Amino acid sequence: MTKLTVVANIIANEDSIDFVKAELIKLIEVTRAEAGCINYDLHQDNENPAHFVFYENWQSREHLQTHLANSHIADYVAATEGRVELFTINEMTHIA
């Protein structure tokens, strides 16, 4: 089984930074308790406070897919609809 690293970039609308940040923080504890979650760490850019990054490691892609299908992710998406300018997920493999 190969560990999966995920980098998720979220750029909030300028007028929604605090709201989006609060919604992202709500995801941390519940996600860290999920099966297969190795780490789930939220970062905020020092130069652009609208830019958030989750750095995540999962035991497998299947664990990530289960995470993405959970209700707390759907709740986040619904709560932040129209408040996020950009959301990307990059699935990555550790090389060295």
Side-chain angles (χ1 to χ4, degrees), residues 27-81:
L27 297 174
I28 296 171
E29 186 175 341
V30 66
T31 298
R32 287 180 177 166
E34 290 180 44
C37 180
I38 298 168
N39 69 288
Y40 191 75
D41 302 322
L42 179 61
H43 304 270
Q44 187 173 19
D45 189 287
N46 293 335
E47 299 296 321
N48 177 6
H51 186 183
F52 299 93
V53 174
F54 267 117
Y55 175 75
E56 314 167 27
N57 283 288
W58 296 89
Q59 289 178 357
S60 69
R61 188 168 195 278
E62 291 74 25
H63 285 106
L64 171 65
Q65 293 303 315
T66 299
H67 161 68
L68 293 173
N70 276 326
S71 62
H72 55 272
I73 297 298
D75 293 344
Y76 161 79
V77 170
T80 60
E81 184 176 354

Side-chain angles (χ1 to χ4, degrees), residues 8-28:
N9 285 280
I10 303 98
I11 299 179
N13 294 340
E14 289 295 325
D15 62 349
S16 298
I17 294 170
D18 291 337
F19 181 85
V20 171
K21 182 178 182 177
E23 292 298 314
L24 291 169
I25 289 170
K26 289 179 187 178
L27 297 174
I28 296 171

